[in-house]
Amino acid sequence: MLEFPRWKVIWLWLLTLVCVAAAIPSLTSTMGLSWPSSLPEPKVNLGLDLAGGSHILLEADPSQVRQQRIEGMEESVRNKLKQDGKNIRISDISNRDGALTFVVADQSQVDAVREAVLPLTNGAGLTGKRDWDINVIDGNRFVLKPTDAGVDQAVTQAMDTAVEVVRKRIDALGTKEPTIIRSGPTRIVVQVPGLQDPQALKNLLGQTAKLEFKLVDTAALPSDVAQGIAPAGSEIVPFVSPAEGGGAPAIAVKRLGGIRGDQLTNAQQTNNQQTNEPVVNITFNTEGGAKFAKLTTQNTGKQFAIILDGKVLSAPTINEPILGGSAIISGRFTTESANALAISLRSGALPVDLKVVEERTVGPDLGADSIRKGMIAMGVGTLALMVFIFVTYGRFGVYANIALVINVLMILGIMAIINTTLTLPGIAGFVLTVGAAVDANVLINERIREERHRGRKVVAAVEMGYKEASRAIFDANITNVIAAVLMFAFGSGPVKGFAIVLMIGIATSVFTAVTLTRLWVAQWLRRARPADLNL
Amino acid sequence: MKLLKLVPDDTNIHFLKWRVPFYLISMVLIAASWGLVLTKGLNLGVDFIGGQMIRVTFERSPAAPVVELREQVGKLGYGEPIIQRYGKPNEISIRMKLPEGADHDAALSDKMARTITADIKKNHDDARIDGVDSVSGKVSKELGWDAFKALGFAALAVAAYIWIRFEWQFGVGALFALFHDVSLTLGLFALTGMEFDLNIVAALLTLIGYSLNDTIVVYDRIRENMKKFRKMPMPELLDLSVNETLSRTIVTSLSVLITLVALLLLGPDVIFGFTAAITLGIFVGTYSSIYMAAPILIWLKVNPNSFVPTESALDKQERLAREGA
């Protein structure tokens, strides 16, 4: 038990030194000292609750994706049936209630329609299921329903795209080291250290930036529009700012035949040369430019609405065909909102709306205060504890105390090596670990006392002490590990940080309190050969 | 140097003599705790009920204008805010629950936080927003459920571990001691109205791991003594085991308390509740390892023969060596 071969001694010290050395960069940086840049610099990251910053959890609504699929299908079906040129007439089209339904006028064409629609569906998932269910009821009414597997697949794709779009938008804000990760099937976590006012960020992410150009339905009666009644083939769209938006709170636009503004190569905030009001200048790619040219050529003199995220920004009249592939969007912007829109348009539209479902922001002052107080509490607590252990166990207390200091440094070092994040509860976990780490030494020392009391010789008592105590130490630590693992598995954010510190602390404290002190005690016993122990 | 000895050698306190009255007291305390939790309820933080908590420091005022704020924020139409000091008199937290049945509106909590912070800043130009926690109804439900699962699984997992390492009676005893500790801590939170948030769940989980330390040390000694003194009656054997480990129990509890008191008095105000929960847990944990976990073994009829079949060759060798010595 007290025999330590030389290789083992060297190995123990090497391990200790590596871990302790890894803690140095984190300590020097807290004290404001510099670290030679030529050396590797493992460092403990500070969590948002200590460094200040914002954590935002965004969530998409899968039912929106479902609805989008249905609307997309409506367009596909119309185009497909038009293309085939078989003169198939369909009517009573509805894209509500989670399905696309339509009636084929001529019953004899039902099979032809089925044949035409089937290629529009794809396989979804590994089960060989299609992403749409096609049913015909009452002989000629088609019901096209997206399957759950298909919607799940579409949601996954949409979220992958959304992460990219979110990343582009945040980068455009110029924030430092943001973390953007998918969390579960419909969520995205965004963490931006140092960001104090997340409002700009939230405004940017709250914008889907789906830009559409639709023709205004001039045939609609103003009285109907006011009541929200749209003529067939049209829909009512509200203005962004109705009070100033030319009086009318809403406008009727043609549902189909417009174009989407997702084929952009650039978007910039500029000022309108005549009115000097902030506007956004957009540039289409070749395909989008051609579509836009076609739309404006065919509809010169008519009014079209520029619609952003389902609200009308402005509804100018097309004075002449716009052939240059670029256009100006006006709509009572401030410089900031125009800039935000330009960023959003540049980074692309979000394939699905994202809502902020959780936000945690910590100001830098609060974080700094927490670190300072945490450090003081830890220093004072550790010192008081060391005095207590020293007066209780004398020489063995000194060993326990050295082990304690090494333990603290090793925890820091390992955290730096595996690059974990220290959170506020993490500091508490740290302080608690310090208190709990001496537990093993207390168990051992009490046991040695007991064995001596029973009349065992010094070396035998020490051996028994370490041996008998280690069983309880092992069991007690395993239960702590179980609790920490479950905390990690079910905890969120800061609690996870606490669990990590706890787990590292359990491992290092067993190493320092049991293994290292045993080494020192063994070396002392061999050297001094004491006849009695002051314990 | 004369070393400090908090517990004299060879103590022989008859702890187990008082097991019935202490059990009764504990049962009453557990019942009272749950009574409080169920009637008065826990002061749940936004983590579990949704809504927002906004921390504000009024930089140029000696104290925060609490009355004025309550009225002002109350006027925004989201209901009455809960305003609490968390550090100096000019540092407060304003808590606002989500209105009933607002889970479906994912963005409502964000909108509320936005409105409230804007309103505070507009009316008080020295208000510094130190932190905003805004949690929607759906997320808060998930967090609550996850916390519940973590606590339940952790308790069952450690009890199962003790069952495997010892005997089923010890597993039941440990589980009961845990239930006692967690119940009393919950009772304290219900009684004082301290805010119960995710951090407190972390504290309870730590408690599950840590308060078992004491229990395990006592159990380990009981097992050892059961092998050693086959003929000793259980109450006597339990008393002996508790007395033998008493010094260690006191010293370790004290050493953890030293660091916890430092954290309570000097640590960040934001984690006061967290530290308070663990501190109370250490107290009740030490008590329960002696008065709850040990006596229950008598009633569960643990007897020395339980360990005979599991005694390994190595343990036997050890026992013979010890008995021979």
Side-chain angles (χ1 to χ4, degrees):
Chain A
M1 198 96 230
L2 294 177
E3 294 298 307
F4 277 90
R6 186 166 295 273
W7 66 268
K8 206 170 178 181
V9 177
I10 294 173
W11 190 83
L12 287 178
W13 276 115
L14 215 62
L15 184 66
T16 311
L17 279 177
V18 168
C19 292
V20 170
I24 297 172
S26 307
L27 289 174
T28 50
S29 74
T30 336
M31 293 174 203
L33 301 172
S34 62
W35 182 255
S37 54
S38 54
L39 293 171
E41 194 182 1
K43 229 193 232 171
V44 178
N45 296 321
L46 292 181
L48 295 177
D49 51 356
L50 292 174
S54 290
H55 160 107
I56 294 171
L57 184 64
L58 299 161
E59 188 181 56
D61 182 3
S63 69
Q64 194 199 356
V65 174
R66 187 181 285 267
Q67 188 57 32
Q68 277 172 5
R69 284 180 72 75
I70 295 169
E71 280 164 21
M73 189 52 124
E74 182 187 348
E75 217 171 306
S76 305
V77 168
R78 279 177 191 270
N79 286 340
K80 183 82 182 175
L81 296 181
K82 217 186 276 174
Q83 255 173 37
D84 286 2
K86 285 180 190 151
N87 195 24
I88 299 174
R89 280 197 306 117
I90 55 172
S91 60
D92 198 10
I93 306 169
S94 147
N95 60 20
R96 281 182 288 274
D97 304 324
L100 175 70
T101 58
F102 57 85
V103 173
V104 180
D106 185 352
Q107 288 237 8
S108 67
Q109 288 177 318
V110 166
D111 284 341
V113 172
R114 191 199 292 276
E115 221 167 276
V117 170
L118 202 60
L120 296 176
T121 67
N122 293 302
L126 300 166
T127 51
K129 255 185 114 172
R130 314 287 303 171
D131 57 356
W132 290 82
D133 284 334
I134 302 174
N135 287 306
V136 183
I137 52 173
D138 303 337
N140 63 347
R141 177 180 289 273
F142 273 78
V143 179
L144 271 64
K145 213 171 174 172
T147 61
D148 289 340
V151 172
D152 286 349
Q153 201 177 38
V155 168
T156 305
Q157 276 168 15
M159 291 305 285
D160 285 341
T161 314
V163 168
E164 282 318 304
V165 173
V166 167
R167 191 185 308 280
K168 278 187 201 157
R169 290 192 189 176
I170 291 176
D171 285 346
L173 266 188
T175 45
K176 265 191 302 177
E177 301 168 35
T179 311
I180 300 150
I181 35 171
R182 277 280 295 277
S183 162
T186 57
R187 288 178 181 169
I188 302 173
V189 175
V190 176
Q191 290 187 323
V192 189
L195 186 75
Q196 296 166 45
D197 182 11
Q199 204 49 60
L201 179 66
K202 286 196 288 180
N203 288 344
L204 203 54
L205 298 178
Q207 208 165 38
T208 307
K210 192 172 130 200
L211 191 64
E212 295 162 299
F213 301 93
K214 286 183 175 172
L215 287 171
V216 173
D217 188 351
T218 41
L221 295 167
S223 57
D224 282 353
V225 172
Q227 283 174 28
I229 304 164
S234 291
E235 61 188 337
I236 308 284
V237 185
F239 271 97
V240 172
S241 45
E244 307 153 83
I251 194 170
V253 298
K254 304 246 189 202
R255 222 148 62 77
L256 301 168
I259 60 172
R260 248 176 284 157
D262 51 2
Q263 287 157 323
L264 300 178
T265 53
N266 199 5
Q268 290 290 337
Q269 184 266 317
T270 53
N271 285 324
N272 185 322
Q273 281 160 359
Q274 277 110 49
T275 59
N276 206 32
E277 117 194 288
V279 292
V280 178
N281 193 346
I282 55 170
T283 314
F284 287 103
N285 62 14
T286 322
E287 196 191 338
K291 275 190 188 170
F292 196 66
K294 196 174 153 201
L295 176 89
T296 50
T297 312
Q298 287 173 353
N299 297 290
T300 310
K302 289 184 188 157
Q303 220 186 346
F304 78 130
I306 304 173
I307 301 168
L308 179 71
D309 294 345
K311 283 183 178 160
V312 178
L313 283 175
S314 54
T317 304
I318 306 168
N319 294 325
E320 56 197 271
I322 301 168
L323 306 172
S326 76
I328 280 171
I329 302 173
S330 61
R332 295 174 194 283
F333 295 119
T334 61
T335 311
E336 286 78 31
S337 64
N339 195 32
L341 177 60
I343 292 176
S344 300
L345 290 176
R346 273 207 300 278
S347 12
L350 284 168
V352 56
D353 291 344
L354 294 175
K355 295 237 159 67
V356 178
V357 288
E358 187 187 350
E359 183 210 326
R360 292 173 196 272
T361 300
V362 175
D365 297 296
L366 187 63
D369 190 53
S370 298
I371 295 185
R372 196 174 45 81
K373 284 188 168 167
M375 291 291 174
I376 293 173
M378 191 156 130
V380 172
T382 309
L383 271 182
L385 178 63
M386 286 170 81
V387 170
F388 175 61
I389 291 298
F390 175 68
V391 297
T392 310
Y393 297 120
R395 171 179 286 275
F396 284 77
V398 173
Y399 292 146
N401 285 338
I402 299 172
L404 186 63
V405 174
I406 292 179
N407 180 36
V408 169
L409 293 175
M410 279 182 88
I411 297 176
L412 267 182
I414 291 176
M415 287 184 75
I417 291 171
I418 62 175
N419 203 18
T420 52
T421 304
L422 183 66
T423 59
L424 186 55
I427 289 186
F430 221 107
V431 176
L432 192 70
T433 309
V434 169
V438 293
D439 185 67
N441 286 113
V442 173
L443 272 172
I444 294 164
N445 294 343
E446 289 293 334
R447 190 68 192 221
I448 297 175
R449 258 187 192 176
E450 224 180 297
E451 298 294 334
R452 279 294 291 159
H453 191 67
R454 285 184 194 158
R456 249 182 240 278
K457 295 221 168 58
V458 169
V459 175
V462 172
E463 277 198 8
M464 277 305 275
Y466 273 96
K467 186 165 188 278
E468 290 297 315
S470 52
R471 200 178 45 235
I473 293 171
F474 178 77
D475 282 332
N477 280 300
I478 291 286
T479 56
N480 281 330
V481 169
I482 291 173
V485 166
L486 286 161
M487 216 185 295
F488 186 79
F490 293 103
S492 75
V495 176
K496 269 198 164 68
F498 176 66
I500 291 174
V501 177
L502 216 53
M503 280 191 262
I504 298 174
I506 292 164
T508 56
S509 73
V510 170
F511 175 75
T512 56
V514 181
T515 313
L516 286 185
T517 61
R518 202 174 71 207
L519 174 67
W520 300 329
V521 171
Q523 285 173 339
W524 172 68
L525 284 180
R526 262 207 300 277
R527 206 177 51 241
R529 304 195 175 279
D532 193 11
L533 293 176
N534 180 19
L535 191 70
Chain B
M1 194 184 90
K2 183 90 179 67
L3 296 179
L4 177 71
K5 251 189 193 154
L6 292 170
V7 180
D9 293 333
D10 296 320
T11 50
N12 191 14
I13 306 166
H14 297 294
F15 289 103
L16 274 283
K17 205 166 75 184
W18 298 98
R19 63 179 185 268
V20 176
F22 272 119
Y23 244 83
L24 288 177
I25 293 173
S26 290
M27 289 299 188
V28 170
L29 285 176
I30 291 175
S33 296
W34 283 104
L36 269 175
V37 170
L38 295 177
T39 55
K40 193 167 175 242
L42 293 165
N43 179 8
L44 293 174
V46 296
D47 291 342
F48 300 129
I49 47 170
Q52 50 279 309
M53 186 180 67
I54 301 165
R55 290 203 167 87
V56 194
T57 303
F58 293 85
E59 290 183 291
R60 291 196 307 276
S61 321
V66 176
V67 180
E68 197 187 319
L69 276 172
R70 189 167 289 133
E71 195 188 329
Q72 211 182 84
V73 176
K75 261 192 229 153
L76 296 174
Y78 296 122
E80 188 79 352
I82 302 167
I83 302 185
Q84 269 173 332
R85 241 179 77 180
Y86 72 92
K88 297 193 206 87
N90 64 341
E91 296 172 343
I92 52 155
S93 69
I94 301 173
R95 211 140 40 93
M96 189 72 111
K97 286 182 197 177
L98 278 180
E100 288 288 326
D103 320 346
H104 58 276
D105 190 350
L108 180 66
S109 62
D110 180 44
K111 205 168 89 194
M112 279 169 73
R114 232 183 275 194
T115 318
I116 296 169
T117 44
D119 185 67
I120 294 170
K121 273 189 181 161
K122 194 180 80 195
N123 289 300
H124 302 272
D125 59 349
D126 69 332
R128 185 184 77 207
I129 308 293
D130 278 331
V132 178
D133 281 8
S134 155
V135 184
S136 75
K138 198 171 157 202
V139 171
S140 65
K141 272 199 187 123
E142 286 172 18
L143 289 175
W145 177 233
D146 282 350
F148 182 74
K149 272 194 293 195
L151 283 171
F153 284 147
L156 290 178
V158 291
Y161 176 77
I162 289 175
W163 171 45
I164 292 165
R165 290 281 294 173
F166 293 81
E167 281 293 313
W168 69 266
Q169 290 96 334
F170 290 79
V172 172
L175 197 58
F176 181 71
L178 276 184
F179 177 70
H180 170 266
D181 299 351
V182 172
S183 302
L184 261 53
T185 312
L186 287 178
L188 174 85
F189 273 80
L191 183 71
T192 58
M194 271 192 288
E195 190 189 334
F196 192 89
D197 58 16
L198 264 187
N199 284 340
I200 307 304
V201 174
L204 289 177
L205 281 165
T206 315
L207 205 64
I208 288 181
Y210 196 82
S211 87
L212 263 189
N213 274 11
D214 284 352
T215 310
I216 285 173
V217 171
V218 174
Y219 275 5
D220 185 63
R221 187 55 70 99
I222 292 172
R223 179 170 57 181
E224 200 182 318
N225 283 337
M226 278 166 75
K227 289 178 193 164
K228 211 151 102 185
F229 309 108
R230 303 286 302 277
K231 299 275 178 293
M232 193 185 280
M234 272 312 277
E236 211 175 302
L237 188 136
L238 296 181
D239 262 343
L240 174 74
S241 308
V242 172
N243 272 294
E244 280 179 349
T245 51
L246 190 61
S247 178
R248 172 267 160 201
T249 306
I250 304 264
V251 175
T252 52
S253 296
L254 260 180
S255 50
V256 179
L257 281 177
I258 287 174
T259 48
L260 282 174
V261 168
L263 203 57
L264 267 182
L265 298 179
L266 306 167
D269 304 312
V270 186
I271 51 168
F272 183 85
F274 175 88
T275 325
I278 295 186
T279 310
L280 175 85
I282 299 295
F283 271 111
V284 288
T286 306
Y287 162 82
S288 73
S289 63
I290 295 174
Y291 279 105
M292 298 291 110
I296 205 173
L297 296 179
I298 298 177
W299 293 314
L300 292 174
K301 304 218 183 319
V302 173
N303 69 72
N305 290 328
S306 318
F307 287 103
V308 173
T310 55
E311 187 183 47
S312 69
L314 200 73
D315 288 340
K316 192 172 173 183
Q317 206 180 356
E318 228 174 77
R319 177 170 57 82
L320 292 176
R322 205 184 293 125
E323 280 166 0

